[in-house]
Amino acid sequence: MKLFVYHTPELTPTDRMPDCAIAVDVLRATTTMATALASGAEAIQVFSNIDKLLQVSEQWPAEKRIRAGERGGKQVPGCDLGNSPLNCTPARVKDRRLFISTTNGTRALQRIQAAPTVLAAALVNRQAVVDYLVEQQPETLWIVGSGWEGSYSLEDTVCAGAIASGIEEKLGVGIEILAGNDEVVAALSLYQHWQHRLLELMHAASHGQRLLRLNGHEDLKYCAQTDTLTAIPIQKEPGTLVSYRT
């Protein structure tokens, strides 16, 4: 297995795709997706365009759909939810399809949707993702951070490092064997430094500070948890993810 980390979708190669690609948007899209599927959502359909989301979701019965839209950390008018994983309770999402569009996370998923296997990962389902990867052993693996409007995000990179750390430990091989680019080593180093202070890291991160200004402290606490969910969002068809449970 050769692992590559890309801090934003814009930094990924355009001339090839890996055997497996993982989108990471810890704050908060991929955390929300994992939580929704763990709470019994039927599937998740992602959109970069809110108007397209509203148009497609209109074809579903109102009682079978949830529209989640977020821009700049705030809920989009006309949607049922924003992008908080705390709202994805079983009472709210069970047996419903989540139609979601976010500032950054859905862009990352669309960039990698042509890969044979596409997953969504966050800290909350980190170990489940590691177990899946060790079992499946893809030859090439990309972990793609969503960033913030094209720029680097600490929380996505620390999650990439957490995944790399788990793979390294489970396979019993050194990072020099796994790493396909220098970003893997940097992500692992970031995780090793902050692994016991992930909430503190999120408070220091620019996007974490942005959410704190929007009263998002409980979201940060939830998103900073590690290995609390076993649901893995896996792409069933381009733009649609279902739950793969370990």
Side-chain angles (χ1 to χ4, degrees), residues 61-89:
E63 69 276 9
K64 289 292 185 181
R65 71 178 184 229
I66 296 276
R67 293 162 165 168
E70 170 266 325
R71 290 294 183 271
K74 299 179 181 179
Q75 181 173 326
V76 174
C79 290
D80 307 301
L81 303 175
N83 187 23
S84 172
L86 300 179
N87 290 327
C88 293
T89 61

mmCIF file of all heavy atoms in Angstrom, residues 61-89:
data_model
loop_
_atom_site.group_PDB
_atom_site.id
_atom_site.type_symbol
_atom_site.label_atom_id
_atom_site.label_comp_id
_atom_site.label_asym_id
_atom_site.label_seq_id
_atom_site.Cartn_x
_atom_site.Cartn_y
_atom_site.Cartn_z
ATOM 1 N N PRO A 61 -40.140 11.852 -1.523
ATOM 2 C CA PRO A 61 -41.194 12.238 -0.581
ATOM 3 C C PRO A 61 -40.601 13.024 0.590
ATOM 4 O O PRO A 61 -39.505 12.708 1.063
ATOM 5 C CB PRO A 61 -41.757 10.894 -0.105
ATOM 6 C CG PRO A 61 -41.347 9.898 -1.148
ATOM 7 C CD PRO A 61 -40.052 10.385 -1.703
ATOM 8 N N ALA A 62 -41.288 14.032 1.038
ATOM 9 C CA ALA A 62 -40.778 14.906 2.098
ATOM 10 C C ALA A 62 -40.399 14.129 3.348
ATOM 11 O O ALA A 62 -39.411 14.456 4.023
ATOM 12 C CB ALA A 62 -41.816 15.977 2.431
ATOM 13 N N GLU A 63 -41.150 13.074 3.650
ATOM 14 C CA GLU A 63 -40.875 12.309 4.871
ATOM 15 C C GLU A 63 -39.669 11.386 4.719
ATOM 16 O O GLU A 63 -39.225 10.779 5.702
ATOM 17 C CB GLU A 63 -42.109 11.491 5.282
ATOM 18 C CG GLU A 63 -42.475 10.333 4.369
ATOM 19 C CD GLU A 63 -43.331 10.761 3.173
ATOM 20 O OE1 GLU A 63 -43.499 11.978 2.960
ATOM 21 O OE2 GLU A 63 -43.824 9.859 2.465
ATOM 22 N N LYS A 64 -39.126 11.272 3.499
ATOM 23 C CA LYS A 64 -37.981 10.391 3.256
ATOM 24 C C LYS A 64 -36.701 11.157 2.940
ATOM 25 O O LYS A 64 -35.694 10.550 2.577
ATOM 26 C CB LYS A 64 -38.293 9.434 2.093
ATOM 27 C CG LYS A 64 -39.325 8.365 2.439
ATOM 28 C CD LYS A 64 -38.767 7.385 3.467
ATOM 29 C CE LYS A 64 -39.718 6.237 3.757
ATOM 30 N NZ LYS A 64 -39.172 5.310 4.784
ATOM 31 N N ARG A 65 -36.734 12.474 3.088
ATOM 32 C CA ARG A 65 -35.551 13.263 2.746
ATOM 33 C C ARG A 65 -35.220 14.253 3.853
ATOM 34 O O ARG A 65 -36.076 14.677 4.620
ATOM 35 C CB ARG A 65 -35.767 14.030 1.434
ATOM 36 C CG ARG A 65 -36.767 15.167 1.585
ATOM 37 C CD ARG A 65 -36.965 15.976 0.322
ATOM 38 N NE ARG A 65 -37.864 17.089 0.583
ATOM 39 C CZ ARG A 65 -38.909 17.402 -0.160
ATOM 40 N NH1 ARG A 65 -39.202 16.689 -1.241
ATOM 41 N NH2 ARG A 65 -39.663 18.447 0.156
ATOM 42 N N ILE A 66 -33.933 14.582 3.921
ATOM 43 C CA ILE A 66 -33.444 15.665 4.778
ATOM 44 C C ILE A 66 -32.510 16.508 3.911
ATOM 45 O O ILE A 66 -31.578 15.973 3.301
ATOM 46 C CB ILE A 66 -32.646 15.123 5.990
ATOM 47 C CG1 ILE A 66 -33.529 14.284 6.904
ATOM 48 C CG2 ILE A 66 -32.014 16.286 6.757
ATOM 49 C CD1 ILE A 66 -34.323 15.052 7.913
ATOM 50 N N ARG A 67 -32.777 17.797 3.854
ATOM 51 C CA ARG A 67 -31.912 18.694 3.092
ATOM 52 C C ARG A 67 -30.962 19.408 4.051
ATOM 53 O O ARG A 67 -31.406 20.086 4.974
ATOM 54 C CB ARG A 67 -32.752 19.728 2.347
ATOM 55 C CG ARG A 67 -33.621 19.136 1.242
ATOM 56 C CD ARG A 67 -34.715 20.103 0.862
ATOM 57 N NE ARG A 67 -35.346 19.759 -0.407
ATOM 58 C CZ ARG A 67 -36.482 20.311 -0.844
ATOM 59 N NH1 ARG A 67 -37.113 21.216 -0.098
ATOM 60 N NH2 ARG A 67 -36.982 19.960 -2.006
ATOM 61 N N ALA A 68 -29.668 19.225 3.823
ATOM 62 C CA ALA A 68 -28.658 19.854 4.674
ATOM 63 C C ALA A 68 -27.777 20.748 3.806
ATOM 64 O O ALA A 68 -27.089 20.270 2.903
ATOM 65 C CB ALA A 68 -27.812 18.792 5.369
ATOM 66 N N GLY A 69 -27.815 22.033 4.088
ATOM 67 C CA GLY A 69 -27.026 22.981 3.303
ATOM 68 C C GLY A 69 -26.263 23.933 4.206
ATOM 69 O O GLY A 69 -26.821 24.469 5.166
ATOM 70 N N GLU A 70 -24.982 24.130 3.894
ATOM 71 C CA GLU A 70 -24.136 25.021 4.705
ATOM 72 C C GLU A 70 -23.230 25.839 3.805
ATOM 73 O O GLU A 70 -22.661 25.332 2.840
ATOM 74 C CB GLU A 70 -23.303 24.186 5.679
ATOM 75 C CG GLU A 70 -22.214 24.961 6.416
ATOM 76 C CD GLU A 70 -20.865 24.883 5.711
ATOM 77 O OE1 GLU A 70 -20.548 23.830 5.127
ATOM 78 O OE2 GLU A 70 -20.142 25.901 5.734
ATOM 79 N N ARG A 71 -23.143 27.122 4.114
ATOM 80 C CA ARG A 71 -22.191 28.010 3.471
ATOM 81 C C ARG A 71 -21.608 28.924 4.537
ATOM 82 O O ARG A 71 -22.352 29.555 5.279
ATOM 83 C CB ARG A 71 -22.854 28.840 2.351
ATOM 84 C CG ARG A 71 -23.257 28.046 1.110
ATOM 85 C CD ARG A 71 -22.053 27.481 0.367
ATOM 86 N NE ARG A 71 -22.416 26.783 -0.864
ATOM 87 C CZ ARG A 71 -22.716 25.502 -0.931
ATOM 88 N NH1 ARG A 71 -22.712 24.756 0.182
ATOM 89 N NH2 ARG A 71 -23.015 24.934 -2.077
ATOM 90 N N GLY A 72 -20.287 28.955 4.601
ATOM 91 C CA GLY A 72 -19.635 29.808 5.584
ATOM 92 C C GLY A 72 -19.945 29.436 7.018
ATOM 93 O O GLY A 72 -19.902 30.282 7.912
ATOM 94 N N GLY A 73 -20.265 28.152 7.247
ATOM 95 C CA GLY A 73 -20.564 27.684 8.595
ATOM 96 C C GLY A 73 -22.013 27.841 9.002
ATOM 97 O O GLY A 73 -22.404 27.389 10.076
ATOM 98 N N LYS A 74 -22.828 28.457 8.155
ATOM 99 C CA LYS A 74 -24.224 28.725 8.512
ATOM 100 C C LYS A 74 -25.188 27.907 7.652
ATOM 101 O O LYS A 74 -24.890 27.564 6.512
ATOM 102 C CB LYS A 74 -24.535 30.218 8.333
ATOM 103 C CG LYS A 74 -23.696 31.131 9.219
ATOM 104 C CD LYS A 74 -24.036 32.584 8.976
ATOM 105 C CE LYS A 74 -23.191 33.512 9.844
ATOM 106 N NZ LYS A 74 -23.493 34.933 9.603
ATOM 107 N N GLN A 75 -26.359 27.611 8.217
ATOM 108 C CA GLN A 75 -27.386 26.864 7.495
ATOM 109 C C GLN A 75 -27.913 27.691 6.332
ATOM 110 O O GLN A 75 -28.136 28.902 6.452
ATOM 111 C CB GLN A 75 -28.530 26.489 8.443
ATOM 112 C CG GLN A 75 -29.642 25.678 7.788
ATOM 113 C CD GLN A 75 -30.662 25.177 8.797
ATOM 114 O OE1 GLN A 75 -30.317 24.872 9.932
ATOM 115 N NE2 GLN A 75 -31.913 25.074 8.383
ATOM 116 N N VAL A 76 -28.127 27.020 5.196
ATOM 117 C CA VAL A 76 -28.649 27.681 4.003
ATOM 118 C C VAL A 76 -30.172 27.758 4.096
ATOM 119 O O VAL A 76 -30.832 26.758 4.412
ATOM 120 C CB VAL A 76 -28.236 26.903 2.731
ATOM 121 C CG1 VAL A 76 -28.903 27.493 1.492
ATOM 122 C CG2 VAL A 76 -26.719 26.900 2.579
ATOM 123 N N PRO A 77 -30.771 28.913 3.836
ATOM 124 C CA PRO A 77 -32.231 29.024 3.839
ATOM 125 C C PRO A 77 -32.859 28.019 2.873
ATOM 126 O O PRO A 77 -32.342 27.771 1.782
ATOM 127 C CB PRO A 77 -32.471 30.462 3.359
ATOM 128 C CG PRO A 77 -31.219 31.202 3.727
ATOM 129 C CD PRO A 77 -30.112 30.210 3.570
ATOM 130 N N GLY A 78 -33.953 27.409 3.295
ATOM 131 C CA GLY A 78 -34.639 26.418 2.476
ATOM 132 C C GLY A 78 -34.219 24.996 2.776
ATOM 133 O O GLY A 78 -34.820 24.053 2.261
ATOM 134 N N CYS A 79 -33.194 24.840 3.630
ATOM 135 C CA CYS A 79 -32.738 23.508 4.025
ATOM 136 C C CYS A 79 -33.220 23.182 5.439
ATOM 137 O O CYS A 79 -33.457 24.079 6.248
ATOM 138 C CB CYS A 79 -31.217 23.419 3.951
ATOM 139 S SG CYS A 79 -30.582 23.440 2.253
ATOM 140 N N ASP A 80 -33.343 21.889 5.719
ATOM 141 C CA ASP A 80 -33.811 21.447 7.039
ATOM 142 C C ASP A 80 -32.722 21.555 8.096
ATOM 143 O O ASP A 80 -32.997 21.790 9.266
ATOM 144 C CB ASP A 80 -34.281 19.982 6.962
ATOM 145 C CG ASP A 80 -35.302 19.763 5.861
ATOM 146 O OD1 ASP A 80 -36.355 20.422 5.905
ATOM 147 O OD2 ASP A 80 -35.034 18.946 4.962
ATOM 148 N N LEU A 81 -31.470 21.327 7.664
ATOM 149 C CA LEU A 81 -30.330 21.325 8.574
ATOM 150 C C LEU A 81 -29.183 22.113 7.971
ATOM 151 O O LEU A 81 -29.157 22.380 6.768
ATOM 152 C CB LEU A 81 -29.842 19.883 8.828
ATOM 153 C CG LEU A 81 -30.819 18.844 9.376
ATOM 154 C CD1 LEU A 81 -30.128 17.484 9.422
ATOM 155 C CD2 LEU A 81 -31.312 19.242 10.757
ATOM 156 N N GLY A 82 -28.223 22.445 8.843
ATOM 157 C CA GLY A 82 -26.967 22.978 8.360
ATOM 158 C C GLY A 82 -25.992 21.823 8.198
ATOM 159 O O GLY A 82 -26.294 20.827 7.562
ATOM 160 N N ASN A 83 -24.844 21.937 8.861
ATOM 161 C CA ASN A 83 -23.810 20.917 8.703
ATOM 162 C C ASN A 83 -23.320 20.437 10.068
ATOM 163 O O ASN A 83 -22.155 20.121 10.235
ATOM 164 C CB ASN A 83 -22.648 21.496 7.883
ATOM 165 C CG ASN A 83 -21.606 20.456 7.513
ATOM 166 O OD1 ASN A 83 -21.897 19.264 7.479
ATOM 167 N ND2 ASN A 83 -20.391 20.900 7.253
ATOM 168 N N SER A 84 -24.209 20.375 11.047
ATOM 169 C CA SER A 84 -23.813 19.927 12.370
ATOM 170 C C SER A 84 -24.101 18.443 12.547
ATOM 171 O O SER A 84 -25.243 18.006 12.369
ATOM 172 C CB SER A 84 -24.549 20.697 13.465
ATOM 173 O OG SER A 84 -24.292 20.128 14.735
ATOM 174 N N PRO A 85 -23.106 17.659 12.936
ATOM 175 C CA PRO A 85 -23.360 16.241 13.182
ATOM 176 C C PRO A 85 -24.305 16.024 14.361
ATOM 177 O O PRO A 85 -24.968 14.978 14.436
ATOM 178 C CB PRO A 85 -21.964 15.675 13.476
ATOM 179 C CG PRO A 85 -21.162 16.844 13.948
ATOM 180 C CD PRO A 85 -21.687 18.011 13.174
ATOM 181 N N LEU A 86 -24.388 16.988 15.249
ATOM 182 C CA LEU A 86 -25.243 16.848 16.430
ATOM 183 C C LEU A 86 -26.719 16.784 16.068
ATOM 184 O O LEU A 86 -27.535 16.282 16.848
ATOM 185 C CB LEU A 86 -24.994 18.001 17.404
ATOM 186 C CG LEU A 86 -23.562 18.115 17.943
ATOM 187 C CD1 LEU A 86 -23.433 19.307 18.875
ATOM 188 C CD2 LEU A 86 -23.136 16.835 18.655
ATOM 189 N N ASN A 87 -27.066 17.281 14.885
ATOM 190 C CA ASN A 87 -28.463 17.236 14.445
ATOM 191 C C ASN A 87 -28.841 15.908 13.811
ATOM 192 O O ASN A 87 -30.026 15.647 13.563
ATOM 193 C CB ASN A 87 -28.744 18.362 13.445
ATOM 194 C CG ASN A 87 -28.737 19.723 14.090
ATOM 195 O OD1 ASN A 87 -29.122 19.862 15.252
ATOM 196 N ND2 ASN A 87 -28.298 20.740 13.357
ATOM 197 N N CYS A 88 -27.843 15.057 13.539
ATOM 198 C CA CYS A 88 -28.111 13.804 12.833
ATOM 199 C C CYS A 88 -28.413 12.677 13.821
ATOM 200 O O CYS A 88 -27.706 11.662 13.896
ATOM 201 C CB CYS A 88 -26.929 13.445 11.941
ATOM 202 S SG CYS A 88 -26.696 14.602 10.583
ATOM 203 N N THR A 89 -29.472 12.850 14.571
ATOM 204 C CA THR A 89 -29.908 11.837 15.527
ATOM 205 C C THR A 89 -30.755 10.787 14.817
ATOM 206 O O THR A 89 -31.326 11.056 13.749
ATOM 207 C CB THR A 89 -30.744 12.477 16.631
ATOM 208 O OG1 THR A 89 -31.898 13.076 16.026
ATOM 209 C CG2 THR A 89 -29.956 13.561 17.366
#
